[in-house]
Amino acid sequence: MHNDGTDTCPHHMDGELPAGGDHLGGSFGDAPTLESWYPQRLRVELLHRNGIDADPLGADFDYAAAFATIDLDELKREITTLLTTSVDWWPADYGNYGPQMVRMAWHAAGTYRIADGRGGAGTAMQRFAPIGSWWDNGNTDKSRRLLQPIKRKYGNALSWADLMVLTGNCSLELMGLPTYGFGGGRLDAWEPDDGTWWGPEVWDPHQAHQGDDMVSRDERWTGRNGDADYDLQSPLAASHQALIYVNPEGPYANGDPMGSARDIRITFTRMAMNDEETVALIAGGHAFGKSHGQVPASDIGPSPELAPIESMGLGWHNPVGTGNGQYTSTNGIEGSWTPNPTQWDNTYLENLFRYDFEQTKSPAGALQWTPTDPDAPKTPDAHVPGQMNPLMMMTSDIALKVDPAYREVCERFLADFDLFTLAFSKAWYKLTHRDMGPKHRYLGPEVTIADDLLWQDPLPENEGAPLDASDVAALQQATLATGQSVSDLVFTAFSAASTYRDSDKRGGANGGRLALAPQKDWAVNRRTVPVIAALRQVQADFARTSGKQVSLADLIVLGGCAAVEQAARAAGTETSVPFTPGRVDTTQELTDIEMFEWLRPVADGFRNFLSPRFAEFAPGVAPESVFLDKANLLTLTAPEWTVLTAGLRSLGANWDGSDTGVLTDRVGVLSTDWFVHLTDTDLDWTPDDESETTFTGRTKATGEARFTATRHDLLFGSNAQLRSIVDAYVGPDGQERFVSDFVRVWDKVMMLDRFDVKGHRRYGPMAA
């Protein structure tokens, strides 16, 4: 060692760094990563995102109990005070933060899409990339930062997700709108969503602050706006990458109102809104605030995710003037829709229909519309005292005039302001609560303000006497005595429960909707029809002999549980499958057929189902990717996904009753045969045709066909992460572990929608 402290050991002589060399090339997580080298690899690890290890509050934190400690009236008063207390670093338009907070809450909720239930305000994903750095969310970072004192005061008793929506409600109430209610209970995510597919467009993030490179629609549409084949890729809802809804300047920023109306209808329909709700939301939202377009997008700094570290999470720095107030720029359009932008009234629709508008440009160069009548009302400047500005309309506003259906709704709202007020209140409530699931999940004293609504998938109250242990035992025997096979009983129970999706907490076995339209008519469910008929007879017999009622929903699940126990017993393993009664049967009238049709699968790897037209309407999408998607919606980990699939195959739960992928000669026995044969080195697998969707496994020595399988099956032998899990069950110690693990994940799936059960878990419904 030299006197200056440098090390003279030989292995340090080649450079200044401890391991040698003179420069550090990268560190943990730096690109290139696994995704850089193998972009088509199935990202199984996504199943483990946002788990308990990412949560600083831990598994024992009870948000419902913490939220109950809040005095909601006092909290709302504090929010309302904040809304009218302007600060110098981000001064409020018109001295009222209400309009910008409405926009924040709207954009948090507006990412929801009905096709897969993803998006929405439920986890406050607006705090993270990519959503938080979308061009359409410009300056929402300032809104959340303004709320930091409220969040600091209430701590973990108030999630960001609930605070953002509640602030939107308080803003509307402050400005005169009677809201329809508020339900708390949204649980914050703790890491970005790196799995949701937001569209195929690829943009250069280093150019994203300029706007145009980020707001792209080039690949998500088939045809051109107005063509007969004009179609938006599923499950997308937004018309453009990095936008919540549609381009306010019109499709392709071309100022075409009728084209804008087409995009609006497609987008809002994909977000579960009908024409009346769509008009109510647009007209109601544009009754408040203004749009900001004083500075061209090219002059605005990078988004929060790309901003320098000293920005502390704030992006879109505007170097012009003060950078805020009268110099603020968001989407580039400048102006307000009404003369009183902080008051709930009907002047938006009155102005829209009373005046003709001509196309103009904002100071930032964005296309917008101005009244042709010089005597049309003016709107006060948001920051310059005494200055009056022309009214502004966007192309997406003019669309409501030119589309006949939208115009008819507007005219009804113009004639009846009370009708408009109620329609907007209810549409806002739906917008901000659509992804929360059933009302059992709602918290707080304002939940009772709102009635049960069809979009909440309401269930009747359970009014019968609860089933006791002897009832359950008798019903188990009765279901097995129907003559329905183990395979059919398991298939039916799983078909009922597997409609659940954790994205918006819809679906599941509760309600017995498997026996109602549209689910009873789905091709994938045809095996369930005779089982349900047999279970209805059990239901009637039980009522006659016991004087008690059992729901069909409970019987469907109970039949599956009894069948699993019998299958384990056939494999030589005694087990008890948990069963929690209390499900109810809903009615056809309380089932929104159109909204439940969105839950119909086009591929379901668990039941080895693939639509015959899958390759036609999902070109370039691998069935195994949809399988991973389904596992995620069921909140499964990779081991749970693997075990559940193996068990369903062993029990013969294919949708069509075939033996494809059933890698056992003992169908209906809960054995480890599937794992063993999947990893059998004496088998060669070859595709059956050019589609490479089905395969045949042949014995190497003789070429004899031994099994058939699909991509859903071979996935677990080809993917390195999944195969490592399979290896845990192939040895002599695998059987007991397999039965135990299968029973656990079976119960998890059966209970996914049981929000009525006390102690229902936080992460996905079944995490601790």
Side-chain angles (χ1 to χ4, degrees), residues 57-274:
L57 305 183
D60 296 330
F61 178 70
D62 187 339
Y63 181 65
F67 186 86
T69 66
I70 295 175
D71 182 333
L72 190 65
D73 289 336
E74 177 61 22
L75 170 59
K76 292 179 67 173
R77 283 192 290 270
E78 292 174 359
I79 292 174
T80 302
T81 298
L82 180 145
L83 293 176
T84 53
T85 307
S86 185
V87 298
D88 291 340
W89 68 267
W90 193 260
D93 293 344
Y94 313 105
N96 190 327
Y97 290 114
Q100 79 173 67
M101 295 299 182
V102 169
R103 176 174 175 265
M104 172 197 66
W106 185 316
H107 282 214
T111 55
Y112 175 81
R113 59 197 194 192
I114 189 65
D116 61 4
R118 291 189 169 90
T123 56
M125 274 295 172
Q126 194 185 82
R127 297 169 299 148
F128 300 117
I131 296 172
S133 288
W134 282 351
W135 182 252
D136 216 10
N137 275 329
N139 293 324
T140 56
D141 54 343
K142 318 305 189 303
S143 299
R144 296 190 302 277
R145 196 60 57 91
L146 287 165
L147 290 174
Q148 189 75 58
I150 301 286
K151 182 68 173 75
R152 182 181 297 117
K153 176 177 179 178
Y154 287 89
N156 298 316
L158 179 63
S159 69
W160 270 110
D162 276 345
L163 175 57
M164 290 162 67
V165 172
L166 181 61
T167 301
N169 269 32
C170 291
S171 300
L172 292 172
E173 291 168 358
L174 172 65
M175 295 184 288
L177 179 84
T179 59
Y180 199 69
F182 170 78
R186 300 165 185 84
L187 301 176
D188 287 340
W190 297 99
E191 59 182 310
D193 175 4
D194 194 28
T196 295
W197 187 71
W198 295 112
E201 293 86 6
V202 178
W203 46 273
D204 181 356
H206 298 290
Q207 298 296 318
H209 66 284
Q210 296 183 10
D212 291 341
D213 289 337
M214 194 175 187
V215 182
S216 172
R217 57 172 288 147
D218 297 338
E219 299 180 46
R220 65 184 55 209
W221 292 93
T222 299
R224 297 281 293 180
N225 189 304
D227 293 348
D229 64 343
Y230 191 54
D231 184 55
L232 177 63
Q233 290 180 345
S234 185
L236 301 177
S239 65
H240 292 64
Q241 174 67 268
L243 294 186
I244 306 299
Y245 295 102
V246 302
N247 189 333
E249 298 179 67
Y252 325 108
N254 61 4
D256 174 14
M258 197 64 225
S260 182
R262 296 186 192 101
D263 276 7
I264 290 170
R265 179 163 287 109
I266 293 171
T267 291
F268 276 76
T269 298
R270 296 282 186 94
M271 292 174 174
M273 299 293 175
N274 60 30

Side-chain angles (χ1 to χ4, degrees), residues 747-761:
D747 180 55
K748 171 176 176 173
V749 172
M750 294 301 118
M751 292 292 291
L752 284 171
D753 64 338
R754 293 301 302 277
F755 298 105
D756 58 311
V757 176
K758 186 177 181 180
H760 201 283
R761 302 181 185 180

